[in-house]
Amino acid sequence: MSLVNGNEIFAEARKGHYAVGAFNTNNLEWTRAILGAAQEKGTPVLIQTSMGAAKYMGGYELCLNLVQQTMKSMNITVPVIMHLDHGNYEAAKECIEVGYNSVMFDGHDLPFAENLEKTKEIVKLAHAKGMSVEAEVGSIGGEEDGIIGEGELADVEEAKQIAATGVDYLACGIGNIHGQYPENWKGLKFERLQELADVISTPLVLHGGSGIPKEQIQKAISMGVAKVNVNTECQMAFAAATRKYIEEGHDQNDIKGYDPRKLLAPGTKAIKDTVESRIEWFGTPAAK
């Protein structure tokens, strides 16, 4: 199966009241774990790189090639979407040129008029090459590649204008944040989500999916969220499994326990298990 764009997949998800998971990759182990989980579940999956992760990994072209070649070596047959997560204007244009199947232009930190105009430009460039576009209105709380959001609620009228640009999916702030959720977090604002869903038919995106209770995620999906982003939970699962491996002394006591292939294996499995669990949460059906 070659890479695909997300247009039909996410439109069907919104109509069917389920979601497709969007999982960030950070290296080869992450890539293999995400693809392996989707293949085992038989479901489509979106694998994405943030600007920071892409820089760390060697650039967008290398990331794209890594995913493509890993799919080939693992004989992945489910639909896979290669996506830029929280890209600025230049990053979105570069990923369109490189050949990603989908890009997110995150202009929420710009004046709204500028966000709107640049979103239109990215939509035009991407759609000319058969690629999907995600945009954002209303800041997602927390920090993502140096962009700090306070987590305000998306303005409904602004969201309608961004949706009208022809974007294929739309990220809206509804009280969600990136990273770990604080103990005093008050939950998703479903009233605002309903207001958005009532006037926007575009598939909606829930960022900051790590740490939101299962019942809240599933309620959001039932109201129009078709794409849920997960990253921090995979990072935490990887760290915990790796820590356990070392604390139990496997790196020193097992035969070649220090070999990175053995050292990273528990963390890789933990990522795969996390992805499989979230696919179940989201109700993603098997690919047709």
Side-chain angles (χ1 to χ4, degrees):
M1 172 73 71
S2 59
L3 290 166
V4 300
N5 71 34
N7 296 4
E8 184 176 344
I9 288 172
F10 288 101
E12 288 297 320
R14 174 152 187 184
K15 290 177 185 176
H17 301 290
Y18 60 85
V20 175
F23 302 94
N24 289 62
T25 186
N26 294 281
N27 57 28
L28 174 62
E29 282 70 31
W30 247 262
T31 302
R32 289 183 61 84
I34 295 166
L35 293 175
Q39 183 69 23
E40 189 160 315
K41 289 293 185 181
T43 61
V45 70
L46 187 148
I47 187 166
Q48 57 191 17
T49 55
S50 66
M51 293 190 299
K55 181 178 180 181
Y56 165 76
M57 293 169 69
Y60 299 113
E61 187 172 8
L62 188 152
C63 292
L64 176 61
N65 288 336
L66 172 64
V67 171
Q68 289 175 320
Q69 295 304 315
T70 303
M71 289 175 63
K72 182 178 179 180
S73 70
M74 293 179 69
N75 193 29
I76 300 298
T77 58
V78 297
V80 179
I81 303 154
M82 183 70 186
H83 181 72
L84 168 67
D85 186 31
H86 287 285
N88 60 24
Y89 181 67
E90 294 303 325
K93 288 200 300 182
E94 183 175 348
C95 286
I96 291 169
E97 189 63 32
V98 164
Y100 274 45
N101 306 94
S102 180
V103 296
M104 177 185 186
F105 167 58
D106 181 357
H108 84 265
D109 56 330
L110 302 172
F112 177 72
E114 185 177 356
N115 182 11
L116 185 63
E117 287 307 308
K118 287 189 172 178
T119 297
K120 290 178 181 178
E121 292 179 36
I122 294 300
V123 167
K124 183 178 179 180
L125 290 171
H127 283 184
K129 293 193 173 185
M131 301 174 182
S132 304
V133 178
E134 177 182 346
E136 181 173 326
V137 60
S139 174
I140 310 300
E143 185 269 338
E144 181 86 11
D145 279 347
I147 299 175
I148 299 175
E150 298 299 325
E152 76 261 15
L153 301 182
D155 180 273
V156 177
E157 288 305 314
E158 290 183 353
K160 286 172 62 177
Q161 291 183 61
I162 292 288
T165 65
V167 295
D168 303 290
Y169 18 95
L170 181 63
C172 304
I174 54 171
N176 43 322
I177 66 173
H178 291 121
Q180 297 185 58
Y181 282 75
E183 291 185 6
N184 63 350
W185 180 63
K186 296 175 181 169
L188 297 178
K189 302 299 187 289
F190 291 107
E191 298 85 357
R192 181 52 51 90
L193 175 56
Q194 189 63 63
E195 291 174 342
L196 293 163
D198 284 344
V199 296
I200 296 170
S201 59
T202 306
L204 302 177
V205 182
L206 181 64
H207 282 251
S210 298
I212 300 176
K214 178 180 179 180
E215 60 273 15
Q216 290 197 34
I217 287 179
Q218 292 181 336
K219 182 175 180 179
I221 291 170
S222 74
M223 297 171 66
V225 165
K227 173 178 179 278
V228 182
N229 283 30
V230 178
N231 183 27
T232 301
E233 280 178 334
C234 290
Q235 293 178 336
M236 292 175 67
F238 179 87
T242 304
R243 183 186 304 110
K244 183 174 185 289
Y245 178 89
I246 293 174
E247 288 178 346
E248 291 178 349
H250 296 291
D251 60 317
Q252 296 179 332
N253 301 323
D254 293 1
I255 297 174
K256 284 196 171 183
Y258 52 79
D259 186 317
R261 290 168 291 183
K262 293 185 176 182
L263 179 65
L264 297 175
T268 303
K269 183 179 184 303
I271 297 167
K272 184 171 180 285
D273 290 345
T274 301
V275 173
E276 289 183 6
S277 171
R278 294 306 171 267
I279 288 172
E280 293 174 3
W281 279 27
F282 305 157
T284 317
K288 297 177 181 178

